[in-house]
Amino acid sequence: MEQTFSEVISSIPWGIVAPLLVIQAILLIVALVDWFRIERTNGPKWVWLIIILFFNILGPILYFLIGRRNNG
Amino acid sequence: MQWMTLFQKETLENWRNFKWLWVPITFILLAALDPVTTHYLPVILEKSGELPEGATFDLPTPTPPEAFLLSFGQLNLLGVAVVLLMTMGIIASERKSGVTELILVKPVRYTAYITAKWASTLVLILVSLFLGLLTSWYYVNILYGDLAFTIMLGSFFLYSVWMTFVLTISIFMNVFFKTPGLVGFLSIALIILINSLNGLVSRFIDWYPSQINTYIRTYVINGTTNGDLLLTIIITLLLIIVMLISSVLVFRKKELAA
């Protein structure tokens, strides 16, 4: 049962998982860039930074759907 | 042509607010995550070490069509929610903030205004849907086994009719109310109502719009279509056209009154 960290890492099929991680990262980066450039959000701006950073996948999507002022 | 100008303006706006980036990515992740995680579920459970010693259980491995259908499960729930939340302010918030008036002072036809918005969002959603299903199909082929490309294409075409229907409901609601939150809530409520009536109504009629999802199931699993698929599609398309036309009529009436 005891496994070293590197064993766990090497057991992950990176060829399959990596593309999904990459587009997830793109989503995160786009959300962050937009967060920096936008002047005001719906609700406090710093809350949205936390949501984007700490809620995987869902965070950036929620930011674009709700946080962003679509007529700003 | 005026319509093309409006359409290009909407598309440009969708680029500027990053919709052309995050919507396709969202659909890809939504469609691909379930087939991938389901395949690795036994490994994940084993590696996480939460199981009591000696506990064994057999998870049935889904067949390729079943795995592909997992994507539709996610799209039906979260994909539809994303579409409705994304479009809930598409006209409503512009009317609220007065942008509509700025546009409509010029000799812009109401029909062009509504349909250009509808078409530019539709293109965005359908491209995203296609990319999502393509990714899911790719992973199903790698992880589970062969699934014909034509099955993917066919189910995409069937599902685009449903997605168009969902989008048109949102546009329709947008014309009636100026508060985006209310529009979103009512569209979601209406879709839930339509879906929950499916079981009851489908005993009597074969062409109920949300039957499309049942038809997709049969099509992906058996490779053939049954019943009144064609009639369902035609009825749904007719409903879409009726909703679009009445959106324009209601919008014209409201704007002239305002």
Side-chain angles (χ1 to χ4, degrees), chain A residues 3-25:
Chain A
Q3 279 185 319
T4 60
F5 183 66
S6 60
E7 267 176 348
V8 174
I9 291 292
S10 61
S11 70
I12 297 172
W14 288 109
I16 284 159
V17 179
L20 290 178
L21 290 180
V22 168
I23 58 166
Q24 196 187 324

Side-chain angles (χ1 to χ4, degrees), chain B residues 5-252:
Chain B
T5 319
L6 280 171
F7 180 78
Q8 279 162 4
K9 175 229 160 221
E10 292 297 329
T11 310
L12 183 67
E13 200 174 316
N14 285 344
W15 275 107
R16 293 240 171 100
N17 56 26
F18 294 110
K19 273 191 186 146
W20 269 104
L21 267 168
W22 71 264
V23 181
I25 290 181
T26 306
F27 271 78
I28 289 173
L29 289 173
L30 277 182
L33 275 182
D34 252 23
V36 173
T37 45
T38 307
H39 185 260
Y40 288 109
L41 199 58
V43 187
I44 294 168
L45 287 175
E46 194 188 307
K47 287 280 188 313
S48 65
E50 303 268 312
L51 285 180
E53 204 58 45
T56 56
F57 60 108
D58 294 316
L59 294 164
T61 319
T63 59
E66 280 166 359
F68 187 60
L69 284 169
L70 289 173
S71 302
F72 284 98
Q74 288 289 341
L75 290 173
N76 255 334
L77 205 71
L78 295 169
V80 168
V82 166
V83 168
L84 292 179
L85 289 174
M86 178 179 79
T87 53
M88 66 184 183
I90 193 171
I91 295 168
S93 65
E94 282 199 0
R95 286 178 64 203
K96 207 177 175 185
S97 64
V99 176
T100 321
E101 279 155 31
L102 283 181
I103 296 173
L104 293 173
V105 193
K106 303 183 181 74
V108 168
R109 294 181 55 213
Y110 295 99
T111 321
Y113 177 77
I114 301 264
T115 52
K117 271 194 184 297
W118 176 80
S120 64
T121 316
L122 186 64
V123 172
L124 169 70
I125 290 171
L126 293 190
V127 169
S128 307
L129 179 68
F130 184 76
L131 291 176
L133 289 179
L134 189 68
T135 318
S136 166
W137 173 81
Y138 171 76
Y139 277 118
V140 166
N141 266 287
I142 290 183
L143 299 172
Y144 297 89
D146 283 344
L147 182 74
F149 187 70
T150 45
I151 294 277
M152 194 281 283
L153 270 185
S155 57
F156 164 72
F157 282 121
L158 293 180
Y159 202 66
S160 9
V161 177
W162 175 246
M163 272 295 176
T164 315
F165 184 67
V166 170
L167 170 70
T168 315
I169 283 181
S170 182
I171 298 273
F172 187 62
M173 288 293 175
N174 258 288
V175 174
F176 282 96
F177 306 100
K178 280 189 184 178
T179 322
L182 186 65
V183 171
F185 173 77
L186 287 176
S187 325
I188 288 174
L190 189 58
I191 295 282
I192 290 174
L193 181 74
I194 289 172
N195 275 333
S196 55
L197 283 178
N198 189 18
L200 181 71
V201 175
S202 59
R203 288 187 192 177
F204 307 106
I205 49 173
D206 283 341
W207 41 263
Y208 193 61
S210 62
Q211 285 275 82
I212 292 178
N213 293 307
T214 325
Y215 288 128
I216 289 177
R217 254 200 113 68
T218 345
Y219 175 66
V220 171
I221 289 174
N222 300 334
T224 50
T225 52
N226 60 336
D228 281 321
L229 172 72
L230 192 67
L231 187 64
T232 315
I233 299 280
I234 291 172
I235 295 280
T236 313
L237 289 176
L238 277 177
L239 279 173
I240 290 169
I241 294 168
V242 167
M243 274 196 289
L244 262 185
I245 293 174
S246 39
S247 302
V248 174
L249 292 177
V250 172
F251 183 68
R252 177 182 293 152

